[in-house]
Amino acid sequence: MTTTDGEHKVLSALHGGGHKVTPQRRAVVRVLARCHRHMTTAELHAAAAAERGDVGLVTVYRTLRLLTDLGLVCQLSADGRQPSYVLRRPEEHHHHLVCSGCGHVVDFTSSDVERLEDRLARETGYRIEGHIVEFTGQCPDCRAGR
Amino acid sequence: MTTTDGEHKVLSALHGGGHKVTPQRRAVVRVLARCHRHMTTAELHAAAAAERGDVGLVTVYRTLRLLTDLGLVCQLSADGRQPSYVLRRPEEHHHHLVCSGCGHVVDFTSSDVERLEDRLARETGYRIEGHIVEFTGQCPDCRAGR
DNA sequence: TTGAGTGCAAAGTGTTTGCATGATC
DNA sequence: GATCATGCAAACACTTTGCACTCAA
């Protein structure tokens, strides 16, 4: 039963924030930490329940909300209907490039986005509050047919 | 009963595509053409029904789906939960800056996004297929307190 | 005239909430 | 031991679908 860095970091943050570290939360965090794919609530529930039978779907919803509020997890709006989630790895502000095949997520930062934001503020008079910048594509593996 | 350019363009496109131009569709298109705000399905339904009593919510859903498929309307994923919609005004590929106060939408194009896309493709080996780029902020009016 | 379009009601999803039980700190 | 977390079931919110009727072309 190996413990990844990311997993440990999240559990510490939970504990430090006065939140209880329960087996269910461990299971969800472990799943998130182990893969670099984005997952929907339902997928996470299935994976977490495979580790520990007693992880309810409702708990997964509540855990994801908590982790998102704490800034430990990023919510991806992209793709289609349901939001999906990935562990937040870089400390600084970043964006995501998501593989439409396997769901693998690449984090990246870009001064282009900040520059664009400045330009928009200047030209429109808006005070920019936030943005969604997400790219989708096929990763090298999926392009090669696995 | 004034008819805006946008309204006319959309109705022509509908007709040209072999779709019927019904009073209900007219009402939805008119509402969309008259304002530069993004609106949810429910908001559009309320506004369209105010013009003509007999516009059902289901028809609004179906009309928005059709218009989106035809590329006449843009679906905004941003904000919170439900998607919202705006008439597609520029012909070319563009992005949106949305006011979090009044919902006004500014269309813009940016070579920064294309540049970023190229860089990502080069550095990650991904074949980029699409992106979501949406900014939110407060428009000058809303900043001034209306 | 005729098939696309509409409205209604019902069914489908995905998510949240109320409440009693259970486990962490 | 007190409190926060969990699970279940029920409630919710949004969207889609089945079906008979209507109307634009």
Side-chain angles (χ1 to χ4, degrees), chain A residues 79-137:
Chain A
D79 297 318
R81 26 205 339 80
Q82 298 115 286
S84 56
Y85 302 85
V86 272
L87 200 65
R88 180 181 182 112
R89 311 203 187 249
E91 303 291 339
E92 70 277 7
H93 182 67
H94 63 279
H95 309 289
H96 300 99
L97 166 57
V98 180
C99 177
S100 57
C102 63
H104 187 92
V105 174
V106 174
D107 303 301
F108 68 90
T109 60
S110 168
S111 56
D112 288 325
V113 176
E114 332 302 333
R115 174 165 49 247
L116 175 53
E117 192 166 306
D118 289 345
R119 196 199 94 200
L120 283 174
R122 212 165 41 241
E123 293 182 358
T124 66
Y126 273 56
R127 176 173 50 209
I128 311 290
E129 295 170 336
H131 54 244
I132 303 179
V133 175
E134 284 180 40
F135 286 80
T136 57

Side-chain angles (χ1 to χ4, degrees), chain B residues 19-20 22 24-25 54-56 59 62:
Chain B
H19 303 279
K20 293 183 178 169
T22 65
Q24 291 88 344
R25 287 179 176 172
D54 62 345
V55 180
T59 295
R62 289 191 274 228

Side-chain angles (χ1 to χ4, degrees), chain A:
Chain A
M1 192 183 276
T2 60
T3 303
T4 64
D5 291 346
E7 184 179 347
H8 210 265
K9 207 184 67 179
V10 172
L11 296 178
S12 302
L14 267 182
H15 189 259
H19 302 279
K20 292 182 178 170
V21 178
T22 65
Q24 290 88 345
R25 287 181 176 170
R26 280 181 192 280
V28 172
V29 170
R30 166 160 307 157
V31 170
L32 281 167
R34 263 215 290 255
C35 75
H36 278 257
R37 302 198 349 266
H38 66 133
M39 303 178 82
T40 63
T41 309
E43 288 169 341
L44 259 158
H45 173 234
E51 297 225 341
R52 277 188 60 91
D54 62 347
V55 180
L57 179 58
V58 178
T59 295
V60 177
Y61 273 103
R62 289 192 275 229
T63 301
L64 286 173
R65 162 101 62 105
L66 176 62
L67 295 177
T68 304
D69 289 347
L70 293 175
L72 300 167
V73 153
C74 296
Q75 186 185 50
L76 303 187
S77 34
D79 297 318
R81 26 205 339 80
Q82 298 115 286
S84 56
Y85 302 85
V86 272
L87 200 65
R88 180 181 182 112
R89 311 203 187 249
E91 303 291 339
E92 70 277 7
H93 182 67
H94 63 279
H95 309 289
H96 300 99
L97 166 57
V98 180
C99 177
S100 57
C102 63
H104 187 92
V105 174
V106 174
D107 303 301
F108 68 90
T109 60
S110 168
S111 56
D112 288 325
V113 176
E114 332 302 333
R115 174 165 49 247
L116 175 53
E117 192 166 306
D118 289 345
R119 196 199 94 200
L120 283 174
R122 212 165 41 241
E123 293 182 358
T124 66
Y126 273 56
R127 176 173 50 209
I128 311 290
E129 295 170 336
H131 54 244
I132 303 179
V133 175
E134 284 180 40
F135 286 80
T136 57
Q138 284 218 308
C139 74
D141 281 357
C142 287
R143 287 178 65 179
R146 177 91 308 265

Side-chain angles (χ1 to χ4, degrees), chain B residues 2-7 10 15 18 26-27 29 32 39 48 66 81 89-90 95 102 108 111 134 137-138 140-141 145:
Chain B
T2 61
T3 302
T4 65
D5 290 348
E7 184 178 347
V10 173
H15 189 260
R26 280 182 192 277
V29 170
L32 281 168
M39 303 177 81
L66 175 62
R81 26 204 339 80
R89 310 202 187 248
H95 310 290
C102 63
F108 67 90
S111 57
E134 282 180 41
Q138 285 218 308
D141 281 357

